[in-house]
Amino acid sequence: MPSSGHYSQSALRLQSRGAALLLALVFMLMLAMIAATVMQTAILQLRMAGNDQFLEEVLQTAQAIADELSLDADNFPLSGQVGDINCPQHLENPECTRTQLQIPESADTTESVVLQYRVTRREPLVWNGFPIREAQSAVSSSSSFDAALFEIDVRIDGSAARLGSAHVIQGIVVRVPAID
Amino acid sequence: MSRSAARYPAVALVGGLTLVELLVSLALGVLLSAGMVSAYLGAKRNLFYEDQIARMQENGRYAMRLLSRELAMSGFYGGLPAGTRALPVPVSADCSAGNWALDSSQPMDLVNDYAGQSPPMSVHLVTLTCLDHSAIAPETDLLALKRTAADASLDHGVPAANMSASTVERWYLRADSDNRPEWVKLRAADLYDPGNTLPSLSYWEAVSKVFFVRAYANDKDDGIPSLCMETLAGAAMTSRCLVEGVENLQLEFGIDADDDGVPNQYTAAPTATEMQQTVAVRIHLLLRSISKLTGHHDDKSYHLGQKVLAARGDAYLRRVLSATVLLRNHTAAGG
C-alpha cells in the first residue's frame, strides 16, 4: 500500500509540474511573438535607413564627380560641334565623339552599382554676351566675352543591387574671348 | 507518513494540502502570474513604443528627403540662366497678385514664424492668399519654392520616355533656341504634335509649391499635425497634405555675403536681400507620434536651430530632425 501511495503522489507532482511548463511555454510564445514583431519593425527600419543612406551617398558621389570634372578645362574642348559627347577614357561607345575624360578620384563605387558620366556640348555653339557672374573684385564687361555651354551628366544606378539611383546634371559655361 | 495515511491512503493523498499550504501556493501562484503578466504587458508596451517611433522616423525621413530635394532643385528653370527666362503669366487660383506662381525672379520665399490670424506675408512682401490661413499652425515657417521639373517633358523635340499622353492641362516652360522662352498651358498629349517635336524646342513642366504645417491631417478634429503643400497641380493651385506627424518646420538660411559660395552666417529671419544671397538652407523638423503613449510624459523642450519650443507636457513622443541642403540651382549665372 505505501508503495502505491508513493507512486500516486509522484504522479500528482509530475502532473502539476507539466502545467507550469505549459503555462510558461504559452507566455514565452506570446513574448516571442511580440519580440519577433519588434525585430521585424527594426529590420525594416534598418533597411529603409540603409537605402536612404545609399541614396544620399550616391547623390554626394555624383555631385563630387561633376565638381571634379568641372575643374579640368581639358574636359571641355572648344573645338567641335553642338551635341559632341566626351566620354571617359577607354570607353567604347559609338555615341562618344571623344574619350578624353580623366577618371575622377571620386568615381569609387561598389560592384553592381553602375556609374556613367559624360560631358555634352550644348547649343548654341557660341553664346554671345552671356551674363557672367563674377566676384565684385574681378568684375569685367560681359559684352567682351562669349560663352560655350557644356553639360556634365553623371548617373549612378544601384537598381541591380536593389538600391536607389542618382542623376546629376551640371551646366558649365566656358568663357571665350568675343570674336567681332 | 502518519497513521491515518496508512489507514486511508486516498485521504492522505488529497489531504497533503493544509489551508496554509494552499494559501502559500496560491500566493506564490498569483505572484508568479503577476510577474508574467507584467512582463507581457511591458513587452506589449515596448512594441507599441517601437512602432510609434518607427512610424515617426519614417515620416521624418520622407519629409526631410522631400524638402531637401525641393530646396536643392528650387530655381531650376530648364537650365536657362536668370535674365533669359520667361515672363510670368496668370494662373487660375494663383497664390498672390502679380502672377506669382510662374514668376521666376524669386524662386525661394519664406514666411518666418507665421503669427496667425491674417494671410501670411513673406520676406519678399508677397501675401499668400491661396492658403486657408486658419488651418496653418502658428509659430511655424512657410516655404515657397518654384522651379521646373528636373527632366524635360520634351527634350529638343524628343518626348520623355515615360510620359503619358495625359489630357490634363498643365503649365510648361517652352524653351526655344530661336525665341525668348515662354509659359504655355498644354495637355501632355499636345507635346506629340508635329508643331512641337522640333529640335529647337524643349518643354519643362512648371513646379510651384508652398510648404506649410497644418494642425490636422484629414478632418479638422483629428489633431494630427501634417506637412502640407499648396501646389500647381494641373493648371491651378491646389492643396495637398503629404506627411502626417510633422508638428513644426523651422528653416535657417546660410547667407554668403562675400560671394565665395560658402555661407558666412545662418539666420532664421533673413531679409529680402539676404534671401538672394542664400547658398545653403538648414531644415529643422519636429516630428510627433500619431498616437498618445500611455504613461509617457513629454517634459522636454525642443531646439529647432535657434528656436526653442517649450515642453508640451502631453503623452506624445517627439523627435527633432535636421539637415543642411546646398542650393545648387538658386543663384544661377547673372542672378
Side-chain angles (χ1 to χ4, degrees):
Chain A
M1 246 4 205
S3 66
S4 89
H6 195 80
Y7 174 73
S8 307
Q9 244 181 356
S10 62
L12 197 79
R13 211 178 295 147
L14 214 73
Q15 242 177 4
S16 70
R17 206 186 292 154
L21 184 67
L22 204 73
L23 208 70
L25 280 176
V26 167
F27 268 97
M28 287 284 277
L29 190 74
M30 271 157 44
L31 289 180
M33 271 163 65
I34 289 179
T37 319
V38 171
M39 284 280 272
Q40 237 172 11
T41 319
I43 289 169
L44 195 68
Q45 280 280 306
L46 192 72
R47 284 206 190 126
M48 289 195 293
N51 208 328
D52 251 28
Q53 187 188 0
F54 177 82
L55 265 183
E56 192 58 39
E57 272 171 17
V58 289
L59 187 65
Q60 298 289 347
T61 309
Q63 197 75 68
I65 292 172
D67 283 350
E68 212 173 315
L69 288 173
S70 70
L71 291 178
D72 189 354
D74 294 344
N75 290 332
F76 312 100
L78 292 169
S79 61
Q81 294 304 312
V82 168
D84 278 4
I85 297 171
N86 198 352
C87 293
Q89 288 170 351
H90 317 302
L91 184 79
E92 283 180 29
N93 185 338
E95 280 187 340
C96 304
T97 325
R98 293 185 174 83
T99 49
Q100 293 171 339
L101 291 187
Q102 299 285 338
I103 294 163
E105 280 174 37
S106 327
D108 179 30
T109 51
T110 48
E111 269 178 63
S112 77
V113 175
V114 184
L115 167 67
Q116 289 174 313
Y117 53 94
R118 50 167 58 171
V119 174
T120 312
R121 180 82 182 257
R122 283 305 196 181
E123 59 177 5
L125 191 62
V126 176
W127 187 315
N128 297 311
F130 188 89
I132 285 167
R133 184 182 162 86
E134 289 258 32
Q136 285 290 318
S137 55
V139 82
S140 55
S141 165
S142 69
S143 60
S144 57
F145 293 105
D146 289 345
L149 304 181
F150 293 87
E151 213 170 74
I152 303 174
D153 185 308
V154 186
R155 278 169 203 267
I156 303 180
D157 188 0
S159 55
R162 293 167 67 187
L163 292 163
S165 62
H167 186 194
V168 166
I169 296 181
Q170 183 157 315
I172 296 290
V173 179
V174 178
R175 197 165 61 172
V176 289
I179 320 151
D180 313 293
Chain B
M1 281 280 165
S2 65
R3 272 184 301 155
S4 64
R7 241 179 260 164
Y8 312 102
V11 175
L13 279 180
V14 185
L17 288 170
T18 61
L19 184 63
V20 176
E21 271 177 354
L22 188 75
L23 285 177
V24 166
S25 65
L26 264 176
L28 281 175
V30 165
L31 222 84
L32 213 67
S33 39
M36 278 195 286
V37 166
S38 80
Y40 171 72
L41 287 179
K44 210 177 133 187
R45 188 173 176 272
N46 197 27
L47 170 69
F48 186 67
Y49 181 85
E50 292 286 333
D51 185 62
Q52 288 295 320
I53 287 193
R55 279 170 201 276
M56 204 162 68
Q57 280 180 340
E58 193 188 335
N59 284 340
R61 267 203 301 268
Y62 176 67
M64 203 46 115
R65 204 155 88 192
L66 180 85
L67 287 174
S68 303
R69 183 176 155 75
E70 289 293 336
L71 269 166
M73 286 303 297
S74 76
F76 175 75
Y77 283 95
L80 297 171
T84 63
R85 289 178 185 161
L87 295 171
V89 290
V91 167
S92 48
D94 204 343
C95 253
S96 191
N99 306 331
W100 179 86
L102 297 178
D103 183 0
S104 63
S105 58
Q106 280 136 10
M108 182 171 67
D109 209 346
L110 166 81
V111 178
N112 186 36
D113 290 339
Y114 173 60
Q117 317 297 294
S118 52
M121 165 97 86
S122 79
V123 170
H124 288 299
L125 303 177
V126 173
T127 309
L128 299 166
T129 49
C130 59
L131 299 163
D132 172 15
H133 63 264
S134 63
I136 305 170
E139 294 298 300
T140 60
D141 288 0
L142 279 78
L143 177 68
L145 298 170
K146 290 182 270 185
R147 61 181 175 97
T148 61
D151 292 302
S153 303
L154 183 95
D155 187 11
H156 294 93
V158 185
N162 54 357
M163 199 176 63
S164 67
S166 161
T167 52
V168 181
E169 281 194 318
R170 291 194 175 88
W171 282 100
Y172 290 92
L173 176 69
R174 180 166 70 188
D176 187 337
S177 43
D178 305 325
N179 298 299
R180 194 185 166 93
E182 54 183 345
W183 294 107
V184 286
K185 190 160 67 171
L186 286 179
R187 298 168 303 152
D190 295 338
L191 295 177
Y192 294 96
D193 283 355
N196 283 324
T197 50
L198 303 171
S200 63
L201 283 182
S202 292
Y203 283 84
W204 304 78
E205 200 182 325
V207 179
S208 292
K209 290 171 179 172
V210 185
F211 288 97
F212 61 99
V213 177
R214 200 166 78 174
Y216 62 91
N218 299 311
D219 305 314
K220 281 214 188 291
D221 307 317
D222 62 12
I224 302 169
S226 338
L227 180 69
C228 300
M229 64 174 183
E230 191 79 16
T231 179
L232 190 64
M237 297 293 284
T238 34
S239 215
R240 275 178 192 168
C241 278
L242 304 163
V243 194
E244 287 187 352
V246 177
E247 202 172 47
N248 205 326
L249 166 68
Q250 292 292 327
L251 299 150
E252 288 177 312
F253 294 78
I255 292 142
D256 170 27
D258 51 8
D259 223 4
D260 61 353
V262 181
N264 302 96
Q265 55 148 333
Y266 280 89
T267 173
T271 62
T273 323
E274 286 174 332
M275 284 287 278
Q276 305 278 6
Q277 298 172 328
T278 300
V279 290
V281 173
R282 274 198 197 131
I283 311 167
H284 303 280
L285 283 175
L286 179 66
L287 273 298
R288 197 204 79 177
S289 62
I290 309 293
S291 315
K292 283 185 179 170
L293 209 76
T294 329
H296 180 76
H297 182 74
D298 186 17
D299 54 359
K300 293 192 254 319
S301 61
Y302 293 91
H303 291 247
L304 277 75
Q306 294 152 24
K307 193 175 176 73
V308 181
L309 298 171
R312 301 291 176 95
D314 54 15
Y316 290 108
L317 286 168
R318 288 189 175 79
R319 285 282 181 284
V320 176
L321 294 186
S322 301
T324 308
V325 186
L326 279 179
L327 304 182
R328 289 260 172 187
N329 292 295
H330 187 238
T331 41

